[in-house]
Amino acid sequence: EAQVTQNPRYLITVTGKKLTVTCSQNMNHEYMSWYRQDPGLGLRQIYYSMNVEVTDKGDVPEGYKVSRKEKRNFPLILESPSPNQTSLYFCASSLSGTANTEAFFGQGTRLTVV
Amino acid sequence: GENVEQHPSTLSVQEGDSAVIKCTYSDSASNYFPWYKQELGKRPQLIIDIRSNVGEKKDQRIAVTLNKTAKHFSLHITETQPEDSAVYFCAASVNRLAFGKGNQVVVIP
């Protein structure tokens, strides 16, 4: 089944403890991206990648890191999480590297930083 | 970078009536304009999209129109049904996909 898979689905962590949220797609998509969703603020882009080894900042990159060493994986890293990073996170992928084709979303990761 | 704005933030309609959501974008180079529907507790899913070389596209009860001169595009839902109640996001793409803040649509039975 074609899909985007995020893990974990839910995570509660403490301030300052490094964490990684994984994202994997099995559709051979060029483009991958991370968004955070907060009430009233919509989907804000954190980072995106147009291809392997190519990553760029989105609208809210502060406090996050990403890597794209393989086409299928695009992990999101929080080196030192803070409470303001409590949010619902979505990974998405798209066939076209320029993001002008349908984006498929993962099931979301609900992160709470205390 | 691209800035996408949606209006209104909340829209209530009677079942059977039409709903229209309008979005504006800032980057004239944007060439792809999708609309996503997000039901409560679920991930966003594409419902319709339009490219910059097309002015209008229809798919059953939904349609999207694009005005490149004014840099705005709209989602039209006709004969609304309770299952149309959701948050709708517009987006624009020029090498990256930027989303608006979303519209809560409530269809009143």
Side-chain angles (χ1 to χ4, degrees):
Chain A
E1 181 188 354
Q3 59 186 357
V4 179
T5 304
Q6 293 178 229
N7 279 297
R9 293 287 311 279
Y10 302 92
L11 180 60
I12 301 175
T13 190
V14 296
T15 299
K17 185 176 181 182
K18 181 179 179 179
L19 67 91
T20 299
V21 183
T22 63
C23 174
S24 180
Q25 50 91 7
N26 62 0
M27 297 171 279
N28 201 36
H29 284 177
E30 299 283 344
Y31 179 93
M32 296 187 75
S33 182
W34 277 102
Y35 296 88
R36 60 177 290 175
Q37 184 173 20
D38 303 288
L41 298 179
L43 292 161
R44 293 183 293 169
Q45 191 173 51
I46 302 170
Y47 271 94
Y48 65 101
S49 170
M50 299 172 73
N51 210 330
V52 177
E53 301 292 359
V54 178
T55 62
D56 279 295
K57 296 178 180 179
D59 299 311
V60 288
E62 295 78 19
Y64 304 95
K65 286 176 57 177
V66 293
S67 67
R68 187 90 183 273
K69 297 177 182 177
E70 307 167 280
K71 198 171 189 178
R72 64 183 293 124
N73 295 322
F74 192 47
L76 179 69
I77 303 158
L78 285 72
E79 294 270 4
S80 182
S82 63
N84 63 11
Q85 292 178 298
T86 292
S87 187
L88 176 60
Y89 291 86
F90 284 103
C91 178
S93 72
S94 176
L95 180 63
S96 164
T98 55
N100 60 359
T101 53
E102 179 178 1
F104 293 84
F105 284 80
Q107 66 272 56
T109 296
R110 173 100 33 206
L111 172 66
T112 303
V113 184
V114 298
Chain B
E2 176 64 272
N3 182 43
V4 180
E5 295 191 1
Q6 289 185 239
H7 304 279
S9 58
T10 303
L11 180 62
S12 295
V13 296
Q14 289 291 138
E15 182 177 356
D17 287 350
S18 295
V20 181
I21 306 169
K22 179 178 175 179
C23 281
T24 59
Y25 61 98
S26 62
D27 192 335
S28 57
S30 290
N31 56 18
Y32 176 65
F33 306 91
W35 284 90
Y36 285 79
K37 177 183 180 182
Q38 186 180 29
E39 296 176 350
L40 189 62
K42 296 189 176 181
R43 72 191 82 185
Q45 291 190 297
L46 180 74
I47 54 171
I48 196 168
D49 56 13
I50 193 168
R51 299 189 183 279
S52 57
N53 59 347
V54 176
E56 182 176 1
K57 184 178 179 180
K58 290 184 180 179
D59 184 3
Q60 300 182 354
R61 294 187 298 107
I62 60 174
V64 56
T65 58
L66 172 65
N67 183 327
K68 288 197 299 180
T69 302
K71 290 194 282 189
H72 68 71
F73 57 113
S74 300
L75 177 70
H76 305 254
I77 308 172
T78 59
E79 301 172 14
T80 53
Q81 300 167 5
E83 53 265 37
D84 294 329
S85 294
V87 176
Y88 291 82
F89 291 97
C90 64
S93 175
V94 55
N95 294 325
R96 73 179 188 100
L97 193 59
F99 285 85
K101 292 184 178 181
N103 295 94
Q104 176 74 58
V105 173
V106 178
V107 179
I108 304 166

